[in-house]
């Protein structure tokens, strides 16, 4: 078996559907026609056709009207039959061919009158037609045919014709019969009898196109009195019937209202006479026409919607025009109603299909649009993904570049720091020489101060590098806040005084002991105070500390306010960016690198707080630091003696000879005894022999022989017997912290100025002995001992 291709199957289905629709439409048209629903349409159309095809009567028939005047003249109804006898005589005497009477003579009247009429009829043999009424009576099985004839005396003399007028179901008279079946055989109708047509029971449609009003007429009264034009009678057929309303012989017609019975016969006569006894084309023909129309008008893809509409127009015109044409040339009446129904249904079918097609087209267009959109989205997604990949590559490259820059910055800073320490150490050694001439001393001091400024700058750069690489470390430890506050104020009072400014402080509302990174806190305060004094020419600078118990928890609030030059509103955020100064021209007047605020804000954030500014140009500025507040309490734990650095014996382990020289210069005057060794092995020996109060060991010396610094420190912790261990650490800050955990009392992050180192070392012996930072070193790193305080609530 061969498979049917899907397109053929679809084609076949469409054909079957189309055929089914044609059949359905035809059936509907037939049903509607059969139910008589279309009568009003067909009547309207046929009326229109009759009017269109109106024609004059044949002038071979005259109607004698028993009108209202005749009734009045005769003094009412019924009349004596002698009256009819006289009229028959008058008419036939005037040359009438045949006189037909549409008057009931079935009841006997007076014998004289009946005889007079019979005599008259006898005088004109074959020229007088009397009516019979042939009708069906009774119902069902009792149904029978009854013929009502004129009384016998008249019937036997006259020609008899049936005057039945059959009505359609709607009560209208459309048809006329040639004759009627009676018990005595087929009786011809009045019109057929007048024209002498052979007997038949077939019927036809009356041609109402003949104008009934144009048929010649004579009033019965005139015919009776002989006052009529004989030309209207000579060689003509004459029909006598009633037109007076009171006699009620009226019928509804499909044309204009009602028509008297006599005129129905007259029109039927005219139809037969002119050969226009109309025949309607039968129901099968109409159904066939409807089927053909439905078939012709079925929607076809090939011709399109416009083509189909053109076909509809054609069929519409034809179904109106064709019946007119047919009726004009032939005695045919065509009911176009079923065709109209078929066309109407076909139009609905066509419009429905067209709407469906358009809806489908819209859906398809939408679908195509959606597909396009989806393609677009896919393309965009691919582009994004490509861009994403490129971005990832760029990010990696950027990260690498940033790291390289940071590493470079850190390394360069470190490399600068080492020789700088040498310079500063040596200048310090030279300055310590009391025999130095004053002029030379001043110059050396200048070199030393410049070195310290440079060291501060390098420290700043190093901080920025650490911040950018995210390696900045905050080490929070219990600290004496008030002491830090007082000392900071003391340090900056001198500077302020030199500029003629007053520096005030208020810490009444501040806690004494807190847990914080003292070095970083000092760094921030120094930066802000340095700026306040630098950018204020007159007035005052104030530093205040308080506690804010806000919804975010307790916060330590530090405020630095000045009456200086102020900052423009649009600069307020920009100043926190690295290397930014409000006005470049100002850098000539105010020295600086543009790093201080950037570092301070990042530090404040790293400490869990914030740094903000509020300023007005020409009025002054107010910087506020808010830090989460954690209070600490002092313990009673005492330290091992000695009580201070000055009383301690120090063992220094340093492998770098240059560094050894610098450290020796820095420390020898500050401690009770200083022994310097080059390695941990020598250190262990020295401890075993002489012991020490403080072991100061350089980080690199710790990690010898591929052992980790922590391991070696562990060993030392076990052997130093209560001595303090301080590590000079140049590596990662995090590792420095681990060293502290492994037993170091203090880890000093390198690089650090010699003087700074001394200050740190002092803190190992007493917590209160906070180091004093030099105003020339405002931004250096400082660490606090972490072992003397316990963290707790205030
Ligand atoms: P530096 O002070 O080294 O230039 P900073 O980052 O500390 O760098 O400050 C950035 C800029 O912010 C300063 O150059 C100055 O223009 C402005 N600024 C900082 N503090 C103040 C202040 N208290 N009053 C006015 N301007 C200030």
């Amino acid at each position: 078996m061969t498979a049917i291709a899907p397109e053929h199957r679809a084609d076949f289905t469409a054909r079957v559907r189309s055929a089914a629709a044609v059949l359905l439409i035809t059936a509907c048209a037939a049903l509607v026609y059969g139910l008589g629903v279309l009568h009003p349409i067909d009547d309207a159309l046929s009326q229109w056709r009759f009017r269109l095809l109106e024609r004059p009567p044949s002038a071979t028939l005259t109607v004698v009207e028993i009108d209202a005047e005749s009734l009045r003249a005769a003094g009412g109804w019924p009349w004596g039959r002698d009256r009819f006898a006289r009229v028959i005589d008058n008419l036939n005497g005037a040359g009438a061919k045949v006189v037909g009477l549409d008057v009931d003579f079935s009841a006997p009247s007076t014998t004289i009158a009946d005889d007079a009429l019979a005599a008259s009829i006898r005088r004109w043999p074959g020229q007088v037609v009397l009516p019979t009424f042939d009708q069906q009576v009774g119902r069902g099985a009792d149904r029978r045919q009854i013929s009502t004839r004129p009384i016998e005396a008249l019937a036997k003399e006259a020609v008899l014709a049936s005057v039945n007028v059959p009505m359609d179901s709607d009560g209208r008279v459309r048809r006329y019969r040639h004759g009627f079946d009676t018990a005595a055989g087929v009786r011809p109708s009045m019109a057929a009898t007048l024209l002498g047509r052979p007997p038949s029971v077939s019927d036809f449609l009356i041609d109402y196109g003949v104008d009934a009003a144009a048929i010649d007429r004579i009033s019965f009264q005139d015919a009776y009195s002989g006052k009529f034009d004989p030309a209207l009678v000579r060689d003509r057929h004459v029909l006598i019937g009633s037109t007076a309303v009171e006699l009620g012989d009226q019928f509804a017609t499909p044309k204009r209202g009602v028509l008297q019975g006599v005129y129905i016969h007259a029109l039927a006569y005219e139809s037969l006479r002119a050969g226009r006894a109309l025949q309607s084309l039968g129901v099968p023909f109409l159904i066939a026409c409807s089927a053909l129309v439905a078939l012709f008008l079925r929607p076809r893809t090939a011709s399109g919607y416009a083509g189909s509409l053109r076909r509809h127009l054609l069929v519409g015109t034809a179904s109106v025009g064709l019946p007119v044409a047919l009726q004009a040339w032939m005695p045919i009446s065509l009911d176009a109603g079923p065709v109209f129904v078929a066309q109407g249904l076909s139009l609905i079918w066509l419009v429905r299909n067209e709407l469906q097609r358009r809806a489908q087209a819209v859906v398809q267009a939408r679908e195509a649009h959606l597909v396009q959109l989806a393609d677009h989205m896919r393309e965009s997604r691919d582009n994004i993904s490509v861009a994403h990949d490129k971005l990832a590559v760029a990010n990696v490259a950027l990260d690498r570049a940033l790291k390289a820059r940071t590493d470079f910055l850190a390394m360069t800073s470190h490399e600068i720091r080492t020789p700088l320490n040498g310079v500063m150490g040596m200048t310090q050694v030279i300055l310590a020489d009391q025999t130095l001439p004053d002029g030379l001393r001043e110059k050396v001091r200048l070199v030393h101060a410049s070195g310290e400024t440079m060291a501060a700058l390098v420290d700043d750069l190093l901080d920025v590098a650490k911040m950018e690489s995210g390696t900045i470390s905050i080490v929070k430890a219990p600290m004496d806040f008030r002491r830090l506050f007082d000392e900071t104020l003391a340090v900056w009072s001198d500077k302020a005084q030199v500029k003629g400014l007053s520096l005030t402080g208020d810490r009444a509302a501040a806690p004494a002991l807190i847990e914080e990174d003292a070095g970083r806190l000092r760094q921030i305060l120094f930066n802000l105070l340095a700026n306040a004094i630098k950018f204020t020419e007159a007035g005052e600078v104030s530093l205040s500390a308080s506690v804010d118990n806000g919804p975010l928890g307790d916060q330590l609030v530090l405020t630095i306010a000045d009456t200086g030059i102020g900052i423009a509103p649009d600069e307020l955020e920009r100043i926190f960016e690295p290397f930014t100064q409000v006005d470049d021209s100002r850098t000539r007047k105010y020295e600086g690198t543009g790093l201080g605020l950037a570092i301070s804000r990042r530090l404040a954030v790293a400490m869990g707080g914030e740094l903000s500014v509020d300023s007005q140009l020409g009025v002054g500025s107010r910087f506020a630091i808010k830090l989460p507040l954690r209070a600490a309490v002092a313990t009673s734990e005492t330290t091992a003696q000695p009580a201070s650095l000055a009383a301690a014996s120090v063992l220094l382990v340093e492998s770098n000879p240059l560094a050894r020289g610098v450290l020796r210069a820095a420390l020898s005057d500050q401690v009770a005894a200083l022994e310097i060794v080059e390695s941990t092995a020598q250190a262990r020996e020295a401890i075993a022999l002489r012991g020490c109060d403080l072991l100061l060991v350089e980080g690199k010396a710790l990690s010898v022989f591929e052992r980790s610094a922590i391991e070696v420190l562990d060993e030392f912790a076990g052997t130093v017997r209560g001595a303090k261990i301080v590590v000079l650490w140049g590596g990662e800050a995090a590792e420095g912290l681990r060293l502290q955990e492994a037993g170091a009392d203090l880890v000093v992050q390198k690089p650090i100025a010699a003087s700074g180192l001394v200050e740190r070392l002092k803190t190992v012996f007493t917590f209160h002995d906070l180091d004093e930072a030099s105003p020339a070193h405002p931004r250096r790193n400082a660490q606090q001992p972490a072992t003397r305080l316990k963290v707790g609530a205030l």
Side-chain angles (χ1 to χ4, degrees):
M1 234 170 97
T2 48
I4 304 170
E7 63 269 21
H8 287 147
R9 205 179 305 143
D11 197 37
F12 178 72
T13 316
R15 275 162 194 267
V16 169
R17 276 195 190 167
S18 183
V22 167
L23 281 179
L24 190 68
I25 288 173
T26 311
C28 281
L31 185 72
V32 171
Y33 185 63
L35 289 174
V37 179
L38 300 176
H39 269 154
I41 300 175
D42 284 330
D43 276 351
L45 283 171
S46 71
Q47 193 174 331
W48 173 70
R49 282 199 301 272
F50 287 139
R51 211 171 298 153
L52 208 67
L53 304 172
E54 210 164 61
R55 60 191 177 82
S58 61
T60 61
L61 175 77
T62 300
V63 172
V64 174
E65 293 185 355
I66 303 173
D67 51 13
E69 264 179 30
S70 307
L71 289 183
R72 205 178 325 129
W77 184 266
W79 294 336
R81 289 187 180 149
D82 51 333
R83 210 172 177 82
F84 290 100
R86 183 163 160 186
V87 167
I88 291 168
D89 286 340
N90 285 350
L91 294 171
N92 280 327
K97 270 186 177 171
V98 179
V99 177
L101 289 103
D102 183 13
V103 180
D104 181 18
F105 295 112
S106 58
S109 69
T110 60
T111 318
I112 298 172
D114 287 347
D115 287 348
L117 182 55
S120 171
I121 297 168
R122 219 176 295 124
R123 264 193 297 279
W124 309 102
Q127 278 183 259
V128 178
V129 183
L130 291 188
T132 68
F133 300 89
D134 306 295
Q135 53 204 303
Q136 302 260 345
V137 293
R139 286 186 185 170
D142 198 22
R143 200 170 167 79
R144 60 198 185 280
Q145 183 82 23
I146 282 192
S147 259
T148 306
R149 292 154 48 91
I151 54 169
E152 197 48 40
L154 302 177
K156 68 176 183 200
E157 303 295 341
V159 178
L160 295 182
S162 179
V163 289
N164 281 13
V165 176
M167 288 179 243
D168 280 349
S169 56
D170 60 352
R172 288 178 196 275
V173 177
R174 293 185 181 82
R175 311 179 155 273
Y176 196 83
R177 301 263 290 265
H178 285 95
F180 294 85
D181 250 338
T182 66
V186 174
R187 185 170 341 272
S189 62
M190 178 60 84
T193 305
L194 289 180
L195 287 166
R197 294 291 156 93
S200 149
V201 290
S202 62
D203 64 3
F204 61 91
L205 288 163
I206 299 167
D207 182 2
Y208 284 99
V210 176
D211 185 7
I215 294 175
D216 291 325
R217 66 190 61 204
I218 300 170
S219 170
F220 191 92
Q221 176 59 26
D222 294 340
Y224 179 72
S225 55
K227 284 188 263 165
F228 61 90
D229 180 1
L232 291 179
V233 176
R234 194 176 308 122
D235 284 334
R236 287 194 179 194
H237 293 105
V238 178
L239 246 178
I240 301 172
S242 65
T243 57
V245 174
E246 46 271 62
L247 297 181
D249 184 22
Q250 295 187 329
F251 297 90
T253 69
K255 205 185 177 188
R256 298 182 200 104
V258 295
L259 203 60
Q260 295 83 359
V262 65
Y263 278 104
I264 301 272
H265 294 295
L267 289 182
Y269 168 93
E270 290 291 344
S271 305
L272 284 173
R273 176 79 177 64
R276 294 199 55 79
L278 300 174
Q279 290 301 323
S280 68
L281 294 172
V283 174
F285 177 80
L286 293 176
I287 291 174
C289 278
S290 308
L292 279 178
V293 163
L295 195 65
F296 180 62
L297 293 179
R298 74 188 186 281
R300 274 171 274 181
T301 336
S303 52
Y305 187 55
S308 299
L309 284 181
R310 272 197 295 277
R311 280 205 304 278
H312 269 274
L313 196 66
L314 183 73
V315 169
T317 315
S319 51
V320 172
L322 205 64
V324 177
L326 271 179
Q327 198 167 317
W329 289 306
M330 285 178 249
I332 288 178
S333 170
L334 182 63
D335 283 349
V339 173
F340 280 138
V341 172
Q343 181 171 9
L345 292 175
S346 299
L347 192 63
I348 293 173
W349 183 15
L350 174 72
V351 170
R352 178 190 158 275
N353 273 15
E354 179 62 13
L355 288 179
Q356 214 166 29
R357 192 190 64 75
R358 287 186 187 186
Q360 253 168 16
V362 169
V363 168
Q364 272 168 2
R366 291 265 157 87
E367 268 174 11
H369 186 61
L370 277 179
V371 168
Q372 217 175 4
L373 267 183
D375 285 351
H376 249 79
M377 280 172 70
R378 210 169 300 127
E379 208 174 303
S380 309
R381 198 191 53 204
D382 292 348
N383 286 345
I384 289 172
S385 138
V386 168
H388 196 266
D389 291 348
K390 281 186 186 163
L391 195 68
V393 172
N395 266 344
V396 169
L398 191 68
D399 277 355
R400 222 177 282 141
L402 261 179
K403 185 164 177 348
R405 197 186 74 163
T406 308
D407 288 351
F408 173 76
L409 212 59
M411 199 185 77
T412 313
S413 307
H414 192 263
E415 291 309 313
I416 293 171
R417 214 35 170 109
T418 311
L420 196 61
N421 280 347
V423 171
M424 284 162 62
M426 278 308 153
T427 48
Q428 223 169 14
V429 171
I430 296 168
L431 286 173
D433 183 354
Q434 301 302 322
T435 62
L436 203 66
D438 280 353
L440 194 56
R441 175 180 296 280
E442 200 39 49
K443 284 174 188 153
V444 174
R445 201 190 301 280
L446 222 70
V447 172
H448 188 75
S450 302
E452 283 184 327
T453 307
M454 193 169 165
L457 181 61
V458 169
D459 284 349
D460 276 357
L461 286 173
L462 212 56
D463 272 348
V464 169
K466 280 181 189 169
M467 283 167 187
E468 281 187 354
S469 64
T471 56
I472 191 155
S473 64
I474 300 295
V475 184
K476 296 204 176 193
M479 57 164 282
D480 185 338
F481 172 72
R482 288 189 180 165
R483 189 177 174 86
L484 173 78
F485 187 96
D486 294 345
E487 286 170 358
T488 307
L489 213 56
V491 166
W492 287 98
S493 290
D494 292 347
K495 279 266 179 185
Q497 235 167 12
V498 171
K499 279 192 84 174
L501 306 171
S502 80
L503 176 61
T504 59
D506 176 10
R507 59 162 175 73
L513 296 179
I514 62 169
E515 192 190 339
E516 194 46 275
D517 188 326
R520 295 301 188 187
L521 183 53
R522 179 187 291 110
Q523 192 175 344
I524 297 172
L525 288 178
F526 273 38
N527 280 343
L528 298 180
L529 278 170
N531 278 348
I533 292 169
K534 183 161 67 173
F535 295 111
T536 305
E537 298 309 328
E540 64 169 327
V541 174
S542 68
L543 170 65
S544 64
S546 61
V547 173
D548 179 14
N549 311 105
L552 298 172
D554 292 348
Q555 283 188 306
L556 177 65
V557 183
L558 295 162
T559 312
I560 294 95
D562 64 55
T563 54
I565 58 171
I567 303 158
D570 57 333
E571 299 284 353
L572 285 178
E573 272 309 305
R574 215 168 66 85
I575 53 172
F576 290 102
E577 289 164 20
F579 306 106
T580 302
Q581 292 171 319
V582 167
D583 184 356
D584 285 346
S585 65
R586 234 190 253 169
T587 45
R588 282 189 287 277
K589 187 173 176 190
Y590 304 104
E591 283 180 3
T593 56
L595 287 173
L597 287 181
I599 291 172
S600 298
R601 175 169 268 185
R602 282 167 175 74
L603 282 177
V605 171
M607 289 157 83
E610 60 179 42
L611 168 60
S612 58
V613 64
D614 184 15
S615 183
Q616 215 180 327
L617 260 187
V619 177
S621 310
R622 170 183 292 266
F623 286 84
I625 312 150
K626 286 185 180 173
L627 297 171
L629 180 62
R630 293 196 70 188
V633 287
T635 65
S636 55
E637 193 184 48
T638 51
T639 58
Q641 45 104 13
S644 70
L645 180 65
S649 62
V650 176
L651 175 61
L652 171 66
V653 190
E654 171 61 272
S655 49
N656 182 339
L658 184 58
R660 277 206 297 273
V662 172
L663 287 169
R664 183 191 297 281
L667 294 176
S668 52
D669 284 348
Q670 306 291 333
V671 301
L674 177 66
E675 183 176 356
I676 300 178
V677 295
E678 292 175 24
S679 67
T680 47
Q682 287 174 6
R684 235 175 259 119
E685 212 173 295
I687 292 168
L689 287 174
R690 293 173 289 279
C692 71
D693 297 324
L694 188 150
L695 174 67
L696 179 59
V697 56
E698 204 281 329
K700 277 189 203 135
L702 269 182
S703 45
V704 286
F705 308 128
E706 296 177 356
R707 295 174 69 196
S708 82
I710 294 174
E711 262 181 293
V712 179
L713 190 73
D714 246 1
E715 263 178 37
F716 269 113
T719 53
V720 291
R721 292 195 308 264
K724 302 288 174 201
I725 302 175
V726 176
V727 182
L728 268 171
W729 187 244
E732 287 290 307
E735 214 172 325
L737 266 182
R738 284 204 292 279
L739 286 172
Q740 204 150 4
E741 282 161 15
D745 291 85
L746 177 64
V747 175
V748 178
Q749 191 74 35
K750 290 208 298 184
I752 184 166
S755 54
L757 175 64
V758 172
E759 304 306 327
R760 300 290 189 291
L761 293 180
K762 283 178 184 171
T763 66
V764 179
F765 291 91
T766 163
F767 162 67
H768 290 293
D769 190 12
L770 280 172
D771 63 339
E772 286 184 6
S774 154
H777 298 239
R779 292 162 188 167
R780 69 190 175 187
N781 196 0
Q783 273 183 283
Q784 297 297 324
T787 51
R788 310 286 168 97
L789 295 170
K790 271 190 190 161
V791 176
L794 256 178

